[in-house]
């Protein structure tokens, strides 16, 4: 990728980042913007849409990223990646579930990650940013977006309350601003 393309990508990511403004109480609610999401653009970046019947979600990501055949739902490209999964969580709320994730014995987000609170498509969401001491083994978890399902979903006989998307931190605003729950 040449320097001009990288510069355009950087400008596009900065434009998307301004949508969220690093405000812990930001409201990113796409329920009333479904039509505009179909034409969501970032200057200098062409976008594709990830749609998953399994996870019942959709969001935009940079065109040119392709599915990694070694993973069920991981897409990668020269500028970044995303991977989608789910987890059941414990406790009654998203904060307990996220706390469970960051406090696993193997500390996937380091010893002191930062957690930001959001609302995404009308649902509680958290963004996890790892601390500097994150293990090299988990470096592909540059940031995680955790969104609570409107109603738990069952996948392969297991109920899940949360969907998680790991990605590069600069793509969190793009994914959050285009994320929506979809029906079958």
């Amino acid at each position: 990728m040449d320097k001009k393309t990288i510069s355009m990508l950087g400008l596009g990511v900065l434009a998307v980042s301004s949508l969220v403004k690093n405000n812990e109480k930001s409201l990113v609610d796409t329920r009333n913007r479904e039509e505009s999401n179909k034409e969501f653009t970032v200057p200098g970046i062409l976008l594709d849409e990830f749609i998953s019947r399994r996870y019942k979600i959709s969001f935009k990501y940079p065109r040119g990223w392709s599915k990694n055949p070694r993973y069920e739902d991981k897409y990668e490209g020269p500028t970044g990646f995303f991977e989608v999964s789910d987890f059941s969580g414990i406790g009654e709320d998203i904060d307990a579930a996220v706390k469970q994730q960051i406090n696993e014995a193997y500390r996937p987000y380091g010893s002191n990650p930062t957690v930001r609170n959001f609302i995404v498509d009308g649902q509680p969401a958290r963004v996890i940013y790892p601390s500097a001491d994150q293990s090299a083994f988990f470096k592909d978890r540059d940031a995680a977006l955790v969104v609570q399902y409107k109603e738990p979903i069952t996948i392969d006989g297991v109920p899940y309350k949360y969907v998680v998307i790991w990605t590069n931190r600069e793509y969190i605003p793009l994914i959050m601003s285009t994320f929506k729950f979809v029906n079958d």
Side-chain angles (χ1 to χ4, degrees):
M1 184 179 305
D2 63 24
K3 289 181 181 182
K4 182 178 178 183
T5 303
I6 292 171
S7 294
M8 290 299 292
L9 174 65
L11 289 173
V13 169
L14 286 174
V16 170
S17 296
S18 70
L19 294 172
V20 177
K21 302 276 191 198
N22 295 325
N23 182 344
E24 290 185 18
K25 301 295 183 190
S26 291
L27 176 65
V28 179
D29 186 344
T30 61
R31 287 176 301 173
N32 298 322
R33 298 186 313 173
E34 289 184 19
E35 284 303 314
S36 65
N37 277 347
K38 292 178 183 171
E39 298 176 18
F40 187 91
T41 62
V42 177
I45 301 176
L46 297 174
L47 301 175
D48 279 331
E49 186 170 24
F50 174 79
I51 301 171
S52 173
R53 286 188 167 87
R54 177 182 177 92
Y55 300 108
K56 301 179 190 244
I57 62 168
S58 72
F59 58 85
K60 304 281 187 177
Y61 65 96
R63 185 170 293 164
W65 292 6
S66 56
K67 188 173 185 334
N68 183 323
R70 297 178 311 195
Y71 298 88
E72 189 159 341
D73 288 298
K74 185 172 187 175
Y75 287 67
E76 301 172 306
T79 61
F81 80 100
F82 72 84
E83 183 176 3
V84 181
S85 190
D86 46 32
F87 69 97
S88 55
I90 59 171
E92 295 299 316
D93 64 23
I94 192 170
D95 293 315
V98 167
K99 190 172 185 177
Q100 173 200 7
Q101 283 282 297
I102 64 177
N103 288 327
E104 292 283 348
Y106 53 89
R107 299 287 189 198
Y109 300 100
S111 64
N112 192 26
T114 301
V115 178
R116 303 262 190 247
N117 301 336
F118 294 93
I119 300 294
V120 176
D121 196 14
Q123 290 298 109
R126 302 295 181 264
V127 174
I128 306 168
Y129 295 107
S131 56
D133 65 347
Q134 179 188 38
S135 166
F137 183 78
F138 295 106
K139 284 298 181 186
D140 67 340
R141 295 184 182 189
D142 192 30
L145 171 63
V146 178
V147 184
Q148 182 175 321
Y149 283 109
K150 293 176 182 184
E151 294 291 327
I153 66 168
T154 301
I155 299 175
D156 299 328
V158 179
Y160 294 99
K161 291 173 63 175
Y162 307 97
V163 61
V164 60
I165 303 165
W166 294 287
T167 190
N168 306 84
R169 65 182 59 224
E170 61 268 22
Y171 290 104
I172 287 287
L174 170 64
I175 292 171
M176 285 176 57
S177 63
T178 60
F179 179 101
K180 62 185 172 188
F181 290 103
V182 296
N183 296 325
D184 285 337

